């Protein structure tokens, strides 16, 4: 009966946190839960596209792992005098390693990614062309990664307006169950608090009484980046709440990825385990909802059959 139920899955953004999505998918495979359609935003679009191509959770993990093993550093990849803080080379190569040269025509199940048109401020649904470009546009966090010019639009991260696109799953049509996976904001309040402590309260060590220019530059650049990301989180909270109320998702899975920041790609193993634990914890509720929906569907089928039966 699980196969007859139509389950829609929405994967939210979160940079390096998104490896938790792969852990969630691994648990879904274990329980035989197969979404009929997927919507993804930002890093969730990368994982969502790979899953919709038919890649297993283990395969997605293996394809993403090399990126984390490179010990990605915003300082080593600093992009001077350009549209973004970070160079595009590594992020582009990593997305292409996962999605190769596949297009939306290669998908096994329907998938859409979301982005934001920086010129007119509209949310854009991406559902055609090369998958890696759509995922890259959906992941273009302003200031961090450069915008993507695609289909005559200057696109940035879809999470600016809609970080967990459950509403697009609802718009898809006849979906019995909607599951959203939310990774929290792009950055955490705890990280901001830690950076503020580091900058304004922590007593300097003797040899750091007069921090070098490089030390101060690294601290201020890091803090500047997370100030921006936290500000984005705050601004979109009201909009996201409205979308949730409108779409009425059945279940939310919320992996506790607070300890993983936006660019902590080297924590991919930790993120995977967090996703697995979160999905296992949510599974009793998921199975309960599946059982309820199965019963509702059976009752509706019986009711329809009775109504169609001619009177003797």
């Amino acid at each position: 009966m699980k196969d007859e139920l139509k389950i829609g899955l929405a994967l939210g953004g979160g940079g390096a946190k998104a490896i938790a999505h792969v852990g969630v998918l691994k648990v879904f495979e274990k329980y035989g839960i197969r979404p009929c359609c997927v919507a993804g935003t930002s890093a969730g679009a990368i994982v969502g596209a790979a899953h919709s191509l038919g890649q297993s959770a283990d395969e997605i993990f293996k394809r993403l792992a090399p990126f984390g093993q490179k010990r990605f550093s915003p300082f080593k990849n600093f992009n001077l005098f350009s549209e973004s803080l970070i160079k595009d080379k590594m992020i582009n190569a990593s997305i292409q390693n996962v999605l190769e040269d596949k297009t939306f025509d290669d998908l096994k199940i329907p998938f859409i990614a979301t982005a934001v048109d920086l010129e007119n401020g509209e949310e854009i649904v991406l559902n055609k062309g090369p998958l890696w470009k759509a995922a890259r546009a959906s992941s273009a966090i302003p200031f961090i990664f450069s915008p993507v010019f695609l289909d005559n639009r200057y696109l940035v991260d879809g999470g600016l307006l809609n970080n967990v696109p459950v509403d697009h799953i609802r718009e898809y049509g006849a979906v019995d169950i909607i599951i959203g996976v939310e990774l929290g904001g792009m950055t955490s309040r705890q990280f901001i608090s830690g950076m503020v402590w580091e900058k304004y309260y922590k007593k300097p060590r003797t040899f750091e009484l007069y921090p070098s220019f490089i030390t101060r530059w690294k601290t201020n650049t890091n803090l500047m980046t997370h100030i921006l990301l936290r500000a984005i989180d705050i601004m979109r909270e009201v909009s996201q709440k409205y979308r949730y109320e409108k779409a009425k998702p059945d279940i939310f899975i919320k992996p506790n990825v607070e300890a993983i920041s936006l660019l902590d790609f080297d924590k991919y193993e930790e993120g995977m385990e967090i996703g697995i634990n979160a999905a296992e914890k949510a599974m009793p509720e998921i199975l309960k909802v599946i059982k309820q929906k199965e019963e509702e569907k059976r009752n509706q089928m019986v009711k329809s059959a009775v109504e169609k039966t001619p009177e003797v």
Side-chain angles (χ1 to χ4, degrees):
M1 194 64 188
K2 291 179 184 177
D3 292 337
E4 297 177 16
L5 286 176
K6 293 182 178 180
I7 300 175
L9 179 65
L11 302 179
K17 302 170 187 280
I19 195 70
H21 288 319
V22 186
V24 171
L25 292 174
K26 188 173 181 65
V27 175
F28 279 12
E29 292 173 358
K30 173 183 174 181
Y31 286 88
I33 296 173
R34 292 178 287 276
C36 72
C37 58
V38 179
T41 294
S42 196
I46 301 172
V47 177
H51 177 72
S52 300
L53 281 170
Q55 294 181 22
S56 68
D58 287 339
E59 183 178 357
I60 299 172
F61 181 78
K62 289 177 181 178
R63 287 173 178 264
L64 286 172
F67 190 45
Q69 292 167 350
K70 292 175 182 177
R71 296 295 188 268
F72 177 79
S73 167
F75 303 110
K76 290 181 181 178
N77 294 274
F78 184 68
N79 206 16
L80 191 61
F81 306 126
S82 189
E83 301 168 286
S84 61
L85 182 67
I86 308 301
K87 294 177 182 178
D88 292 337
K89 184 176 180 180
M90 284 185 68
I91 187 69
N92 288 353
S94 297
I95 296 175
Q96 287 175 298
N97 186 56
V98 177
L99 303 177
E100 300 176 330
D101 59 352
K102 304 295 185 181
T103 72
F104 280 85
D105 293 332
D106 297 309
L107 295 172
K108 305 299 183 184
I109 60 173
F111 165 77
I112 63 105
T114 65
V116 174
D117 187 320
L118 200 55
E119 291 186 274
N120 61 27
E122 294 179 355
E123 182 182 16
I124 303 299
V125 171
L126 303 173
N127 57 10
K128 62 180 180 179
L131 281 168
W132 87 265
K133 286 188 178 180
R136 173 65 179 82
S138 183
S139 306
I141 303 169
F143 182 73
I144 307 298
F145 299 116
S146 64
V148 174
F149 190 67
L150 183 64
D151 295 334
N152 297 315
R153 293 180 181 274
Y154 199 48
L155 302 176
V156 293
D157 195 303
L160 292 178
L161 294 179
N162 190 0
N163 202 39
V164 188
V166 289
D167 52 335
H168 290 291
I169 293 294
R170 182 63 71 191
E171 292 166 2
Y172 174 74
V175 177
D176 299 300
I177 299 172
I178 296 179
I179 300 175
V181 185
E182 182 181 279
L183 303 177
M186 293 182 182
T187 186
S188 66
R189 286 173 290 181
Q190 288 86 345
F191 190 88
I192 290 292
S193 298
M195 290 299 297
V196 170
W197 170 263
E198 185 76 20
K199 183 174 174 65
Y200 294 105
Y201 294 102
K202 184 180 178 181
K203 292 182 179 180
R205 298 171 184 172
T206 303
F207 62 86
E208 290 182 335
L209 184 59
Y210 299 101
S212 68
F213 169 79
I214 295 297
T215 299
R216 284 185 282 114
W217 176 79
K218 285 184 176 182
T219 300
N220 289 333
T221 300
N222 208 1
L223 183 55
M224 177 176 62
T225 301
H226 284 85
I227 287 172
L228 173 66
L229 297 178
R230 180 57 186 155
I232 291 172
D233 286 343
I234 293 170
M235 289 188 293
R236 71 183 177 192
E237 282 178 0
V238 174
S239 173
Q240 196 67 57
K241 182 179 179 181
Y242 169 77
R243 289 176 183 272
Y244 289 165
E245 291 174 349
K246 181 180 178 182
K248 293 181 173 58
D250 297 278
I251 297 164
F252 264 117
I253 300 174
K254 298 182 179 181
N256 184 11
V257 285
E258 285 291 318
I260 300 176
S261 74
L262 182 76
L263 300 177
D264 282 341
F265 294 103
D266 59 313
K267 295 184 178 180
Y268 59 98
E269 292 180 337
E270 178 182 343
M272 178 77 164
E273 195 62 32
I274 290 172
I276 290 173
N277 292 337
E280 287 284 7
K281 185 177 180 180
M283 195 51 63
E285 180 186 359
I286 294 173
L287 295 177
K288 179 181 178 181
V289 171
I290 288 175
K291 185 176 180 180
Q292 290 174 343
K293 294 293 183 178
E294 287 175 343
E295 185 174 349
E296 290 174 8
K297 203 161 191 175
R298 281 194 295 267
N299 292 339
Q300 185 60 44
M301 291 173 64
V302 170
K303 181 179 179 182
S304 298
V306 170
E307 291 174 349
K308 292 180 180 178
T309 301
E311 295 183 2
V312 179

